Amino acid sequence: MVILVVIINTLISMTLLYVAWRVWQLKQQLAYIADRLTAYESCTHTALNKAPENIYLSQQNIHNLRQRNQALQIQIQQVRQIISLLLLGKQIWQRYFPKLELITGKKTVAK
């Protein structure tokens, strides 16, 4: 009877020892995961710490670029209008003064 109690106690002790070992392994794994998460949090904090300021500066730069782009678009439109006026002037000149050359100013002889 005593041998049966000793065997049962030994089995219970070995089972509890195995459970304690598994809990200790789980604790080690959780500690490792916690350390990694802390390191990841530190890295992301460092990377994203200045993100709002950088986003704001980028928005300002984009706004400034859009304003400069609008000014350039107006200048491009003005240059196109000038070129159109010059071409219209050339067409009118050729229509009403077909015998005169634009560059030399000499009359050409019609054949």
Side-chain angles (χ1 to χ4, degrees):
M1 179 84 166
V2 174
I3 295 178
L4 182 65
V5 170
V6 170
I7 291 174
I8 290 174
N9 281 342
T10 304
L11 288 174
I12 291 172
S13 297
M14 293 187 76
T15 304
L16 290 176
L17 181 63
Y18 176 75
V19 169
W21 178 68
R22 293 295 292 172
V23 168
W24 182 79
Q25 282 184 331
L26 180 63
K27 178 190 164 213
Q28 294 295 99
Q29 289 176 347
L30 288 176
Y32 174 77
I33 291 170
D35 290 343
R36 295 306 304 161
L37 289 175
T38 302
Y40 294 152
E41 188 272 335
S42 176
C43 290
T44 55
H45 177 73
T46 302
L48 298 177
N49 188 28
K50 299 217 177 203
E53 181 181 337
N54 291 338
I55 290 171
Y56 178 72
L57 289 174
S58 297
Q59 287 175 340
Q60 284 182 331
N61 290 339
I62 289 171
H63 177 72
N64 292 339
L65 285 173
R66 284 185 178 155
Q67 285 183 336
R68 279 189 260 157
N69 187 28
Q70 286 177 348
L72 290 174
Q73 289 293 334
I74 291 171
Q75 289 177 352
I76 289 171
Q77 183 180 4
Q78 290 172 346
V79 168
R80 286 182 178 162
Q81 289 174 345
I82 290 169
I83 291 172
S84 295
L85 285 174
L86 289 173
L87 291 174
L88 180 64
K90 179 183 173 189
Q91 289 174 351
I92 292 172
W93 181 269
Q94 287 176 345
R95 174 179 280 176
Y96 292 108
F97 305 104
K99 296 181 181 182
L100 298 177
E101 291 184 14
L102 282 175
I103 298 174
T104 60
K106 296 180 182 177
K107 289 186 177 180
T108 57
V109 178
K111 294 183 183 181

